[in-house]
Amino acid sequence: MRGNIESSLPPNPWSAPRRPAAPTPVVYDGSRGRLFGLALGRMALTILTLGIGRFWMTTRLRRHYWASIRIDGSPLEYTGRAMEKLIGFLVAVVILAVYISLANLALTFAGLAWLEGSVVGLQLPLLALAPALFWAQYRARRYILARTRWRGVRFGLAPGAWGYAWRAMVWWGLTLLTLGLLYPLTQHRLARYTTARSYFGDLRFTQEGGAGPLMRSWLWVWLPAAGLAAAAAGFAALGKEPGPEAALAPLLLLFVALGFVRHQVFSFRHLNSLKTLAGKTRFSVSLGFWRVVGIYVSGALAIGLGVAATAAVSSLAAAALIGDPSALFAALAEGRAPDVTGLLALALLAAAYLPAVAVWSALGHAFLTHPLLKAACAGLLIHDLEAAERARQRAHDEQAEAGGFADALGADMGGAF
């Protein structure tokens, strides 16, 4: 009773103002060794099942990543199931086959049959897939958010896949027409559309800020790249051989590549630092550019060495089983079909590189995804988390196709993560 009376009294004007709570860090406590073993085993099963096991691999890896991310001591939870992804993929393959057939018929009846066999004619069906690709990307994000929970409360993404698709077509079209100049504006507009439809429980996210900082960052990439392309086009038009200044081209290309990575890191920081939840919960991101570069360089070295060593060991083992392959290579060089023994030897040589594929996938998770995710979480702080804890449960989103179209089109939100 006393607490209720005190809470109803007006605040004391002489008391010290209430200090805001300290920001909440996001912790990633995943194990590189465990992740490597998990990814290696799941990729081996995927190879043995001719690709069918990849849905179980993706689901298991997502559960591992999600459970390794802790906010205020509570981990994220991924509730997606592999079987629903497999069924969604099979349904998507059938629908896409019908869609591509109808698109080809529509192009023919539109009077474009005269382009048949030309380069442009061959690219038109791919252009017809572009809206479906953007639509599938949005649906895949919606599925992932619908299967993600924190402290039992679901995330979600409101319907709007076709709205995202036509906006992506317009903005990417403008980006291509301006030779990439409007890429930052495309990033900002699509992020704003997606964020405005994202929810945690019944609380909505918003994307604040403009595209000006992104544009200024991008000019450090676009201007050198445009200058290099203009110089190359000028030399080609004049029919002249490049002079000593051509020695600067590799350095300029390296500058452009590093500038692109820097822009991607900056856009990640800028866009996520300006996201809010219910207008109260905010985020601050401090991921460093050179740390990302270091992760990519060390990861590329680890993956290259690991894959090369695995391929060498597998090849030596296959060669020991085959024996002298000179007869097989002689038959292939002469255009003759090898005998049964030769075909088995050829199949064994091809299969010898499958362990390298499994190691490549596992090392990618262990030396790229793992450290990148750890660095991103280490630089992420959440301000006023208490406001987010007031979220009420969101209705379950079935998402029957379970990201199957993104799987079929190769646009499944970066694979496992």
Side-chain angles (χ1 to χ4, degrees):
M1 182 70 181
R2 180 182 177 183
N4 293 336
I5 295 175
E6 291 180 350
S7 63
S8 62
L9 294 176
N12 185 359
W14 303 105
S15 61
R18 182 182 178 184
R19 301 179 63 181
T24 304
V26 178
V27 178
Y28 175 78
D29 58 3
S31 167
R32 190 198 301 268
R34 183 184 175 192
L35 176 61
F36 176 79
L38 174 64
L40 183 62
R42 291 293 173 172
M43 188 61 187
L45 288 176
T46 298
I47 293 173
L48 292 175
T49 57
L50 303 180
I52 295 178
R54 73 188 181 96
F55 302 101
W56 280 261
M57 178 183 73
T58 299
T59 300
R60 185 64 187 85
L61 286 172
R62 282 179 180 170
R63 287 177 180 171
H64 173 84
Y65 284 127
W66 267 237
S68 300
I69 300 174
R70 297 181 178 274
I71 304 173
D72 197 26
S74 301
L76 295 177
E77 181 183 2
Y78 179 73
T79 61
R81 294 180 292 109
M83 185 56 70
E84 66 182 359
K85 287 187 66 62
L86 173 60
I87 295 174
F89 171 77
L90 296 176
V91 172
V93 168
V94 174
I95 295 177
L96 285 173
V98 175
Y99 172 78
I100 293 174
S101 300
L102 292 177
N104 286 330
L105 286 174
L107 292 173
T108 300
F109 285 117
L112 297 176
W114 59 275
L115 293 173
E116 184 177 358
S118 66
V119 175
V120 177
L122 293 175
Q123 301 304 317
L124 286 176
L126 298 179
L127 182 61
L129 275 178
L133 178 66
F134 295 125
W135 179 86
Q137 287 178 337
Y138 188 93
R139 295 277 297 182
R141 183 181 295 274
R142 182 179 170 189
Y143 169 74
I144 291 175
L145 288 177
R147 298 298 185 270
T148 300
R149 297 189 302 193
W150 182 65
R151 291 182 175 175
V153 179
R154 302 184 191 94
F155 288 82
L157 184 63
W162 285 118
Y164 179 85
W166 76 257
R167 285 172 172 83
M169 289 288 292
V170 169
W171 284 110
W172 277 109
L174 292 174
T175 299
L176 292 175
L177 289 175
T178 57
L179 302 179
L181 180 60
L182 293 185
Y183 172 64
L185 203 56
T186 300
Q187 285 182 298
H188 181 264
R189 293 295 187 270
L190 295 181
R192 188 174 65 179
Y193 179 87
T194 305
T195 304
R197 285 156 182 80
S198 301
Y199 289 83
F200 173 63
D202 62 337
L203 304 180
R204 187 166 70 94
F205 287 90
T206 55
Q207 179 70 60
E208 299 178 350
L214 294 177
M215 183 62 73
R216 289 191 293 271
S217 171
W218 180 244
L219 288 178
W220 286 94
V221 182
W222 190 84
L223 289 176
L228 187 61
F235 280 116
L238 296 175
K240 293 183 178 181
E241 292 293 330
E245 64 276 4
L248 298 176
L251 293 177
L252 191 57
L253 285 174
L254 178 61
F255 180 83
V256 171
L258 289 175
F260 181 78
V261 176
R262 176 192 171 277
H263 173 77
Q264 294 300 103
V265 174
F266 175 77
S267 62
F268 175 82
R269 289 200 310 261
H270 177 75
L271 291 173
N272 287 291
S273 294
L274 292 176
K275 284 180 171 62
T276 63
L277 178 62
K280 296 181 179 180
T281 303
R282 297 180 176 273
F283 311 88
S284 58
V285 184
S286 59
L287 180 63
F289 160 67
W290 287 111
R291 186 171 186 183
V292 172
V293 172
I295 290 172
Y296 273 110
V297 172
S298 60
L301 289 174
I303 294 171
L305 292 174
V307 170
T310 305
V313 172
S314 301
S315 300
L316 290 175
L321 293 174
I322 293 172
D324 185 11
S326 57
L328 172 63
F329 292 147
L332 294 175
E334 296 173 2
R336 294 184 290 107
D339 54 15
V340 176
T341 305
L343 289 175
L344 291 176
L346 191 61
L348 187 58
L349 281 174
Y353 290 94
L354 294 179
V357 175
V359 170
W360 168 75
S361 175
L363 289 175
H365 283 283
F367 287 93
L368 285 180
T369 308
H370 170 82
L372 284 172
L373 186 55
K374 187 174 183 178
C377 290
L380 176 59
L381 294 174
I382 303 177
H383 303 268
D384 197 1
L385 183 63
E386 292 182 358
E389 292 174 339
R390 292 193 288 269
R392 292 178 294 182
Q393 183 62 286
R394 182 176 179 82
H396 179 63
D397 188 353
E398 283 294 337
Q399 279 289 286
E401 50 93 12
F405 286 92
D407 278 319
L409 292 169
D412 188 22
M413 303 300 297
F417 191 76

